[in-house]
Amino acid sequence: MFGYLTEAQLRSKAEPEKAVFIVESPKVIRVALDAGMQPVALLCERRHIEGDARDIIARLPDDVPFYTGDRDLLASLTGYTLTRGVLCAMRRPQPCSLEEILGQRERSRIVVINAVCDTTNIGAIFRSAAALGIDAVLLTPDSCDPLNRRSVRVSMGSVFLVPWTWLSPSGWGSQEEALHHFGFKTVAMALTDNSISIDDPVLKEEPRLAIIMGTEGDGLPHSTIAEADFTVRIPMHHQVDSLNVAAAAAVAFWELRK
C-alpha cells in the first residue's frame, strides 16, 4: 500500500490529509485505537490472526484491510522483524495549536523538548511524562517526530495519552516569550555555576512550570539558559556529571510535580 516509503515520506507534508504513521505491537496498537487513532491497514503474522491480533482485527472498520504472511516473508517486506508480529498504519492526526496546548489553565506542568533527535529518548520522555503527571509536551522543530515508529513503541503508546505539539513561536518571538505569554515560568535543566538544586522549594511554589530538556551532548543553547526563569540541576554523586536526558526528565517530572 505504501511501497518502500521512508518515515519522512509517510508524514507527507505536501498532502497532510494522506499522512500516516506506523504503530508496532498489539498492546501499543490497542492504546492507539483507544485514543481514537484511525487505522489505515494492518499487517500481522499469520499465527496472530487467531492470537494476539484477533481482538484488533475485530475492531477494524469494514473498509480497513489487513494483510498477513509468515514471519520471514513479513520481515523481508518490511526490512525488520515485526515487534510482537503485528504492525498497523494509522492516519496521522492534525497537530494541536500552541494556544490549545498552553491556553488551558488546568495544565500546570509541561515539558519542552529542545533538539532531542534520538527516537528512543523521545519515546522514553513521553512515557515518563504520561506516568508522572506532565500535562503536555512541546517540541522544537529540530527534535525527533514523536510518531516515529520507534518513538511510539518505546513510549508504549504514551504519545497518544499526552497532548503535544511543535513549538514554533512565530508571532510570539522566542519560545520563552510564548511560554511567558501563557503564564509559564521556564526551568532550564542545565549544569551552570548559578544552577539551583531541583529540590529547591521555590520551584514547587510556582503555579505553572515549563521544564526545558536539551540534548545529552551539547545541552541547551546558551540563549535558552540565559532567558530561563530558573536554571536547575539534579545533584550528582560519584563524579558522574549528568544523566541520560530521558532519565533526567523522569527525575525532573517527579520532583517538580505540583
Side-chain angles (χ1 to χ4, degrees), residues 97-117:
S97 69
L98 200 58
E99 290 79 1
E100 289 174 315
I101 294 289
L102 299 181
Q104 298 192 31
R105 297 303 303 176
E106 68 273 15
R107 290 176 179 162
S108 62
R109 296 294 186 267
I110 67 171
V111 61
V112 177
I113 301 176
N114 190 302
V116 176
C117 53

Side-chain angles (χ1 to χ4, degrees), residues 113 116-131 137 139 144-160 162 244-247 249 253:
I113 301 176
V116 176
C117 53
D118 181 90
T119 55
T120 299
N121 283 334
I122 292 290
I125 292 171
F126 265 87
R127 189 172 183 181
S128 293
V137 180
L139 303 101
C144 173
D145 177 20
L147 295 182
N148 172 280
R149 176 177 59 86
R150 185 181 295 273
S151 295
V152 172
R153 178 163 57 84
V154 172
S155 82
M156 292 302 294
S158 294
V159 295
F160 309 121
V162 182
N244 164 277
V245 64
F253 298 163

Side-chain angles (χ1 to χ4, degrees), residues 26-193:
K27 182 174 183 178
V28 180
I29 293 170
R30 293 185 190 104
V31 174
L33 291 173
D34 290 344
M37 298 297 108
Q38 298 179 6
V40 176
L42 186 79
L43 180 69
C44 71
E45 291 181 33
R46 196 184 312 277
R47 64 191 178 97
H48 289 307
I49 293 177
E50 293 298 328
D52 287 350
R54 183 175 182 177
D55 65 305
I56 296 172
I57 293 171
R59 293 179 64 176
L60 296 178
D62 293 339
D63 60 345
V64 173
F66 74 90
Y67 305 91
T68 188
D70 294 327
R71 186 179 183 87
D72 292 343
L73 173 62
L74 299 190
S76 68
L77 290 173
T78 61
Y80 59 91
T81 301
L82 272 63
T83 302
R84 304 289 297 175
V86 188
L87 180 153
C88 188
M90 294 189 164
R91 189 70 62 199
R92 177 176 284 268
Q94 290 298 307
C96 297
S97 69
L98 200 58
E99 290 79 1
E100 289 174 315
I101 294 289
L102 299 181
Q104 298 192 31
R105 297 303 303 176
E106 68 273 15
R107 290 176 179 162
S108 62
R109 296 294 186 267
I110 67 171
V111 61
V112 177
I113 301 176
N114 190 302
V116 176
C117 53
D118 181 90
T119 55
T120 299
N121 283 334
I122 292 290
I125 292 171
F126 265 87
R127 189 172 183 181
S128 293
L132 300 176
I134 294 297
D135 298 313
V137 180
L138 303 180
L139 303 101
T140 58
D142 51 354
S143 293
C144 173
D145 177 20
L147 295 182
N148 172 280
R149 176 177 59 86
R150 185 181 295 273
S151 295
V152 172
R153 178 163 57 84
V154 172
S155 82
M156 292 302 294
S158 294
V159 295
F160 309 121
L161 305 179
V162 182
W164 63 271
T165 195
W166 299 103
L167 181 55
S168 299
S170 176
W172 300 107
S174 67
Q175 68 177 26
E176 285 76 15
E177 289 173 328
L179 293 165
H180 286 158
H181 175 84
F182 289 97
F184 284 89
K185 293 288 185 69
T186 54
V187 173
M189 299 299 299
L191 297 173
T192 67
D193 292 338

